[in-house]
Amino acid sequence: MLGEVAANEVINEVILLMGPPGAGKGTQAKLLAEARELSRISTGDMLRDQVARCTELGRQAKKVMDAGELVPDRLMIAMIRYELEHMVPTRILLDGFPRTTAQAEALDCLLAEHGADITAAVLLEVGEEELIRRLSGRALREGRSDDQVETIRRRLEVYREKTRSLVDYYQKRGRLRRVEGLGAVGEVCKRIDEVLP
Ligand code: AMP
């Protein structure tokens, strides 16, 4: 997923892409990473890769993901720590991490160890009806096992319970950038680009 970069290189740009499930984070993250030459770290993709390879972590993660819950913080933080320590890229786009306050605090510490800070936390905003419509459509098209109706509902609840508070977290630090997530893919991508330095 990441190119190998000498471990002593400095991290000088860290962009977070946040938003509820179905907001288009994955699609926008890929476009943004390409356009700005950022190394994309998607925790969802990393977990799906573990599931596909039938590793022990994948086996545990699949149960949690299929239930619409979050994988425990200690596992997620360890995954990100590993990425940052072993393949230190200089410009990073985080897609799907952090999702809890504990993860956000751990990320601040990990970045501080590399003398880095968050450049911007982009929040993709999409109303709940539209989210359900999109996620149900994706279930039919892609057959993702966590896109079943009950799981969709639970993932949205988990977002409200655990992840939404990160909006305040980054707002207080002056890092939050809100972006309307409704519209054509290219249009949303342009909006994101405009709020970034
Ligand atoms: P995503 O592709 O980002 O929607 O992630 C799919 C699923 O992977 C989520 O519903 C969670 O179960 C799990 N997951 C991904 N990222 C995280 C994270 N940062 N913390 C906990 N669980 C995660």
Side-chain angles (χ1 to χ4, degrees), residues 52-96:
R53 291 194 285 120
C54 299
T55 63
E56 177 54 28
L57 170 60
R59 212 180 47 77
Q60 289 177 28
K62 183 168 170 34
K63 279 191 218 146
V64 178
M65 291 162 83
D66 285 353
E69 303 292 336
L70 294 183
V71 173
D73 284 336
R74 66 183 166 77
L75 286 179
M76 301 311 303
I77 293 166
M79 272 174 104
I80 292 293
R81 174 185 286 280
Y82 184 91
E83 286 290 316
L84 294 183
E85 276 173 6
H86 290 83
M87 291 173 266
V88 179
T90 56
R91 304 173 66 235
I92 303 171
L93 175 64
L94 281 171
D95 163 10

Side-chain angles (χ1 to χ4, degrees), residues 72-149:
D73 284 336
R74 66 183 166 77
L75 286 179
M76 301 311 303
I77 293 166
M79 272 174 104
I80 292 293
R81 174 185 286 280
Y82 184 91
E83 286 290 316
L84 294 183
E85 276 173 6
H86 290 83
M87 291 173 266
V88 179
T90 56
R91 304 173 66 235
I92 303 171
L93 175 64
L94 281 171
D95 163 10
F97 186 96
R99 264 176 154 97
T100 64
T101 307
Q103 292 181 14
E105 288 169 353
L107 179 63
D108 284 344
C109 292
L110 287 172
L111 290 176
E113 283 171 25
H114 291 275
D117 193 2
I118 284 153
T119 315
V122 177
L123 175 68
L124 273 182
E125 298 189 291
V126 175
E128 193 141 317
E129 260 179 44
E130 172 67 9
L131 292 176
I132 294 176
R133 202 183 62 75
R134 287 185 185 183
L135 290 167
S136 313
R138 189 165 76 183
L140 291 175
R141 278 195 316 277
E142 298 175 17
R144 247 177 78 159
S145 56
D146 58 351
D147 277 344
Q148 307 308 315
V149 177

